[in-house]
Amino acid sequence: MTDAPTAPAGPTAPTAPAGVPTAALLDGHRPLEVPPGAEAVDLEAKFTQLLFRSSLLGNKLTEQKQQARAEQRELLGVLIEVDDALTALGLDRELVALGRGAGLEATRRRLLGRLAKAGVRPMRLEGLAADPALTEIVGTEVRPGVAPETVLQTVVTGFFWEQEVLRRAQVVVAAAESAPESVPESVPVPVEDPRSARIGLEEPEQREEPKEPEQPTAAAPDPAARPVPPRVRRHAKAPGRPAKRAKRKK
């Protein structure tokens, strides 16, 4: 079975160049009416005004994004605190004895999965040098063979949020080993002679200074003594002699 011969194609009609409307395309359409006063509009001023409005709209949109991110960051911080609470409850012996430990761990894993979808991931810092931008040192420990400032233990887990630090980790780092104290050489102490020490302790004898002779002081007259008449004085001077006879009265 053979195909029927086809008639040769005739000459094609000329087509209008692209972008040039033809009369056929304009059939049935009315030209746009120019609004009154449009020709007098300053296009440059209107374009500048349009750019100013676009800038204001962009600034407002940026502020809204920053506010939304701050609120999201706060919410993620609350969820991290919930993870801390679940971790503390998982260490409670009474709850573990009651069989609640598995449920708490499952809830915590689910919460961490939700946080991971939001771009939050925990820090793994053990064995690395402590970075002040990522860690907060809360303790030190001397560990032989470990370089100083090396993270030994994470007390509170830190978290990243995308490329930002959502919360710094609290860690214990290695401290530098203290150098052995050098023992000072013994210096011979001079031994003192006990005799010299005894001589030094003895107090020198105090010499007595010569005393000046005391000058006699006149006795103070007795105010109660009465004056003795001269005749009585003569008799008092020689009490052993016989008294002279009294002169005869004339």
Side-chain angles (χ1 to χ4, degrees):
M1 184 176 180
T2 59
D3 296 335
T6 58
T12 59
T15 60
V20 178
T22 60
L25 296 176
L26 295 178
D27 291 343
H29 297 278
R30 293 181 302 172
L32 295 176
E33 296 180 0
V34 179
E39 296 179 357
V41 173
D42 188 358
L43 296 179
E44 184 177 358
K46 288 294 182 181
F47 184 71
T48 303
Q49 185 178 5
L50 181 62
L51 290 179
F52 180 72
R53 291 180 178 179
S54 176
S55 176
L56 290 179
L57 182 61
N59 293 337
K60 186 176 182 180
L61 184 60
T62 302
E63 292 178 359
Q64 291 178 354
K65 288 183 178 180
Q66 292 177 353
Q67 183 178 0
R69 188 170 182 84
E71 294 176 355
Q72 185 178 4
R73 183 186 183 91
E74 183 178 359
L75 177 59
L76 294 175
V78 173
L79 294 178
I80 288 175
E81 294 178 358
V82 173
D83 176 68
D84 296 339
L86 291 175
T87 303
L89 291 175
L91 299 176
D92 193 344
R93 297 181 179 180
E94 295 182 1
L95 296 177
V96 174
L98 295 174
R100 305 293 178 82
L104 292 173
E105 185 63 25
T107 304
R108 183 171 178 268
R109 286 198 303 267
R110 185 175 181 181
L111 176 61
L112 291 177
R114 294 291 183 180
L115 291 174
K117 290 183 179 180
V120 179
R121 61 187 188 279
M123 298 180 182
R124 307 299 180 188
L125 303 174
E126 284 77 3
L128 302 178
D131 187 355
L134 305 179
T135 60
E136 178 184 355
I137 300 175
V138 297
T140 58
E141 181 181 346
V142 178
R143 188 72 61 87
V146 181
E149 303 295 332
T150 302
V151 178
L152 301 177
Q153 180 184 359
T154 300
V155 180
V156 178
T157 306
F159 287 88
F160 292 108
W161 180 30
E162 296 177 353
Q163 303 300 327
E164 301 178 8
V165 177
L166 186 59
R167 186 180 72 178
R168 294 194 304 168
Q170 298 181 4
V171 298
V172 177
V173 299
E177 299 182 11
S178 58
E181 299 180 357
S182 57
V183 180
E185 297 181 358
S186 58
V187 180
V189 180
V191 180
E192 297 182 357
D193 190 357
R195 292 176 297 176
S196 61
R198 186 178 303 173
I199 293 174
L201 293 177
E202 292 180 355
E203 296 182 355
E205 296 180 356
Q206 297 181 357
R207 297 181 179 179
E208 296 183 356
E209 297 180 358
K211 297 182 179 180
E212 296 180 357
E214 297 181 357
Q215 298 180 358
T217 57
D222 189 0
R226 296 180 179 178
V228 182
R231 187 176 296 179
V232 177
R233 291 181 183 175
R234 289 196 299 266
H235 293 292
K237 288 182 179 178
R241 295 179 181 179
K244 292 182 179 182
R245 294 178 180 178
K247 292 182 179 182
R248 294 179 179 179
K249 296 181 180 179
K250 291 180 180 181

